[in-house]
Amino acid sequence: MPEPLTVTFPPAFLWGAATSAYQIEGAVREDGRTPSIWDTFSHTPGKTADGDHGDIAVDHYHRYRDDVAMMADLGLTAYRFSVSWSRVQPTGRGPAVQVGLDFYRKLVDELLAKGIKPAVTLYHWDLPQELEDAGGWPERETAHRFAEYAGIVGEALGDRVEQWITLNEPWCSAFLGYGSGVHAPGRTDPTATLRAAHHLNLAHGLATSALRSVLPARHQLAISLNSSVVRPLSQDPADLVAVRKIDDLANGVFHGPILHGAYPESLFEATASVTDWSYVRDGDLTAVHQPLDALGLNYYTPALVSAGTREAGGPRADGHGGGAHSPWPGADDVAFHQTPGERTEMGWTIDPTGLHELIMRYSREAPGLPLYITENGAAYDDKPDPDGTVHDPERIAYLHGHLSAVRRAISDGADVRGYYLWSLMDNFEWAYGYGKRFGAVYVDYATLARAPKSSARWYGEAARTGALPPVGATAA
């Protein structure tokens, strides 16, 4: 059904952008900050494109006031950022470094002064290296350390920040960090992958309880999941079994205990050759299954799977890098296929119907729970024109399509209350280094000068009016 020319959103809808600490802050050795696993990983030869790292990134630590002013100029009403655990609690335990907390206090104050609603993500993949040296997320103790850290940040910012997200994409932390090894800390152990997933769930539950003990009741606690839209290559029963297996590993492993208080039995069956799940102790699922005030959904592209194995030496078309090790424990009998259609620079197929499908699924999974799109965006090979302007019509078309899918879901009864564009500005894109530009704002990495792209102006116009401008329109 064709979209109307003007797609309007509810008046209270939040128009935001998102970033993460290691990708933008820099200042990795300042004010008491110690290395995180991403500092270590990115400085290990061969782990990132061109040996890129986040030592300086885009220097947001020193330029945050200008960055917030830029957000206000663009018309954003919300900003989602993450806190660097290593900046606040350098060893991952013990008292906080107040100068580290002061950076986030000043950032929040600056946002509020500009009328921008802050949303804090406590963990976006940057575990203090000292905790990884002690075993990392596969160890139960890490979950308890995270809860302590959450309480520290909650006490420091809780008087000013109402929106809180415990973990960003715990799937990536567990399955890419400990399974395929393409993310920090770069381990490749299928059993450790599932242990890490459970302890991340436990960390979320314990942190939620810790935050509730220090935050006002009106505050909103959530988690951001990069839940996959998994589709079968055919309706063959074997392909449907493959869908269920990947859906359990991508989605059920987190939303099962978090939303429903139990892991899927089919997950246990599929991974029996990998682990006996004996690390799930009595009381864990009760601790994980805490009431939430909202759920964050991150979406980029759907997955297409079938029964079978990939061709020897061929790429694994799951969109998660080309590592030699699979991030899918117990799923060697599942093949991933490239979905058809136009793709971004990441090789990800552009398919807004997947975002609508995802929203409607979680409207059913968690009826009554408000939803936020906490990440959605696209990487393109953006280059400035001779006059310095950066035109990115592909990103505008991408945003129009996906925001239209959000509005369609709202019309279909979904309670979606905001959208956070990934990302505010070009930055360190993890193992891809600085070669993939997701930003609505262009960053010249030689000078660190910022320049809003056409998409930033287009998105700002949508934020100001609550309606999507035509794809060909760019606000002056």
Side-chain angles (χ1 to χ4, degrees), residues 137-459:
W137 285 113
E139 296 302 317
R140 170 175 292 267
E141 180 65 14
T142 307
H144 291 281
R145 298 282 62 77
F146 181 70
E148 178 185 69
Y149 156 70
I152 288 170
V153 181
E155 286 184 336
L157 302 180
D159 60 335
R160 282 161 281 189
V161 177
E162 295 184 0
Q163 284 195 314
W164 292 81
I165 294 164
T166 54
L167 305 172
N168 178 76
E169 299 186 354
W171 187 89
C172 293
S173 296
F175 290 76
L176 301 183
Y178 294 92
S180 66
V182 299
H183 278 194
R187 289 161 64 179
T188 55
D189 181 342
T191 303
T193 298
L194 296 172
R195 288 177 62 94
H198 176 64
H199 294 137
L200 283 155
N201 283 332
L202 183 61
H204 158 74
L206 295 176
T208 300
S209 297
L211 288 170
R212 290 216 186 277
S213 72
V214 299
L215 296 180
R218 70 179 185 277
H219 285 14
Q220 194 176 66
L221 304 187
I223 185 171
S224 286
L225 302 176
N226 58 319
S227 296
S228 294
V229 175
V230 187
R231 295 169 174 166
L233 185 65
S234 76
Q235 292 303 306
D236 186 289
D239 287 357
L240 300 181
V241 170
V243 166
R244 178 57 188 264
K245 184 173 289 189
I246 297 304
D247 187 74
D248 283 343
L249 287 167
N251 304 325
V253 68
F254 294 109
H255 78 222
I258 290 169
L259 298 180
H260 308 303
Y263 287 104
E265 285 298 324
S266 50
L267 173 66
F268 292 152
E269 294 166 6
T271 57
S273 63
V274 178
T275 180
D276 61 5
W277 292 86
S278 58
Y279 40 85
V280 180
R281 297 183 186 174
D282 290 346
D284 279 5
L285 293 175
T286 299
V288 173
H289 184 42
Q290 297 298 311
L292 291 177
D293 305 302
L295 179 65
L297 298 177
N298 297 356
Y299 172 81
Y300 293 95
T301 192
L304 185 65
V305 304
S306 71
T309 56
R310 61 176 174 149
E311 295 180 9
R316 185 179 53 254
D318 62 0
H320 297 298
H325 299 270
S326 172
W328 304 101
D332 291 340
D333 57 347
V334 175
F336 287 82
H337 304 269
Q338 177 69 57
T339 51
E342 185 181 353
R343 301 172 195 166
T344 69
E345 279 293 304
M346 295 293 288
W348 297 342
T349 302
I350 302 166
D351 188 346
T353 67
L355 180 54
H356 178 269
E357 183 178 332
L358 187 70
I359 293 169
M360 299 314 297
R361 173 180 183 169
Y362 280 93
S363 292
R364 296 187 299 270
E365 288 274 354
L369 191 64
L371 303 176
Y372 291 84
I373 307 308
T374 41
E375 283 187 29
N376 177 239
Y380 289 104
D381 187 19
D382 303 314
K383 291 182 173 67
D385 290 341
D387 64 359
T389 60
V390 182
H391 295 290
D392 56 343
E394 301 93 347
R395 185 173 288 103
I396 292 174
Y398 181 100
L399 293 175
H400 190 282
H402 286 78
L403 282 162
S404 295
V406 173
R407 186 63 186 90
R408 188 163 64 252
I410 294 172
S411 298
D412 290 342
D415 185 9
V416 186
R417 299 190 182 181
Y419 176 95
Y420 290 86
L421 166 66
W422 186 269
S423 177
L424 172 66
M425 53 189 162
D426 296 334
N427 54 45
F428 175 75
E429 186 49 41
W430 308 113
Y432 294 97
Y434 294 96
K436 305 296 184 186
R437 293 181 178 269
F438 274 90
V441 173
Y442 183 86
V443 177
D444 181 331
Y445 292 127
T447 65
L448 298 182
R450 279 82 154 133
K453 304 172 188 178
S454 299
S455 61
R457 300 300 183 191
W458 182 93
Y459 186 65

Side-chain angles (χ1 to χ4, degrees), residues 4 22 28 32 59 71 112 124 185 196 283 410 426:
Y22 189 72
V28 297
D59 197 32
M71 294 179 220
L112 293 174
H124 199 129
I410 294 172
D426 296 334

